[in-house]
Amino acid sequence: MIEIKDMLDLAYENGFTKAVELDVTSLHLYPDVREMCAANKCKIYDTNWACPPGCGTLAECEEKTKKYKRGIIVQTTGKLEDSFDFEGMEDIKEKQNICLNQFIHKLHDMKINMLPLGDGCCSLCEKCTYPEKECRFPDQAMSSMEAFGILVSDLCKLNNIPYYYGPNTLTYVGCVLFD
């Protein structure tokens, strides 16, 4: 069993700018957040096993989260030139994804039983098999926190971690639930 301190240290070693213990009792899955997915602004709804409806109903997602007694929140925060710095936004997102993928890979190597949740849809495969065939990598596919109905800003607030770090900054957030 990995200790929280060791998990946090490993998160920082993998490049996150912030990592804190997640109080799993603060996890709330909201239908309103899930409904935002159904609005399909990202153009991914109903196209990916890790996004709704492929990731399961809200009740099924809650059942998955309830299996874990501990967790951490990880963040990558970066500076933007201005509020239109889309290249900077993409760079920060890419850094978060790299950190999260490396971190998850190391946890898999350590045989940690976990549920990682990121900040966007799963991108393991160039083309997802949804819905024709089962997921090629069910142990590696990662849903977003929003796909599970989590209001990320509230979760950060409930766990005493900032979500907003000031003007011309952007923060991407993920979490890992584990035994």
Side-chain angles (χ1 to χ4, degrees):
M1 177 192 298
I2 190 166
E3 298 296 324
I4 289 287
K5 182 193 178 310
D6 296 330
M7 184 72 86
L8 295 172
D9 289 346
L10 187 60
Y12 282 116
E13 288 169 19
N14 280 277
F16 294 107
T17 53
K18 189 87 168 163
V20 300
E21 184 174 359
L22 166 67
D23 175 2
V24 293
T25 65
S26 69
L27 271 177
H28 303 289
L29 282 56
Y30 298 104
D32 292 353
V33 174
R34 188 61 178 275
E35 288 169 17
M36 286 189 265
C37 287
N40 201 23
K41 290 184 179 181
C42 66
K43 308 281 190 256
I44 300 171
Y45 182 82
D46 201 21
T47 66
N48 188 302
W49 281 112
C51 292
C55 64
T57 65
L58 200 57
E60 291 167 332
C61 290
E62 185 168 28
E63 189 176 310
K64 290 175 189 176
T65 65
K66 296 289 184 200
K67 294 178 183 176
Y68 301 95
K69 304 297 179 226
R70 302 182 297 156
I72 65 168
I73 297 173
V74 292
Q75 294 181 333
T76 301
T77 300
K79 291 274 187 196
L80 301 172
E81 289 180 21
D82 55 42
S83 58
F84 298 103
D85 182 7
F86 297 110
E87 185 176 310
M89 292 175 196
E90 287 299 314
D91 288 345
I92 299 164
K93 181 178 176 79
E94 183 178 344
K95 182 176 184 214
Q96 170 77 0
N97 289 340
I98 289 169
C99 293
L100 193 55
N101 288 334
Q102 286 175 176
F103 183 57
I104 298 308
H105 183 73
K106 287 182 182 172
L107 294 175
H108 273 295
D109 288 347
M110 297 167 64
K111 308 283 189 245
I112 302 295
N113 183 29
M114 67 181 150
L115 174 63
L117 298 171
D119 61 81
C121 76
C122 181
S123 58
L124 282 175
C125 302
E126 191 173 315
K127 170 124 175 64
C128 185
T129 59
Y130 181 86
E132 292 84 27
K133 295 180 183 174
E134 289 187 17
C135 177
R136 292 180 194 103
F137 306 104
D139 293 339
Q140 296 174 35
M142 188 178 346
S143 293
S144 71
M145 295 171 75
E146 293 85 357
F148 269 56
I150 298 169
L151 187 57
V152 177
S153 58
D154 279 4
L155 185 67
C156 288
K157 184 177 182 178
L158 290 168
N159 285 275
N160 301 310
I161 182 173
Y163 179 72
Y164 177 67
Y165 288 87
N168 295 330
T169 65
L170 181 63
T171 300
Y172 285 96
V173 182
C175 69
V176 179
L177 306 177
F178 59 100
D179 291 334

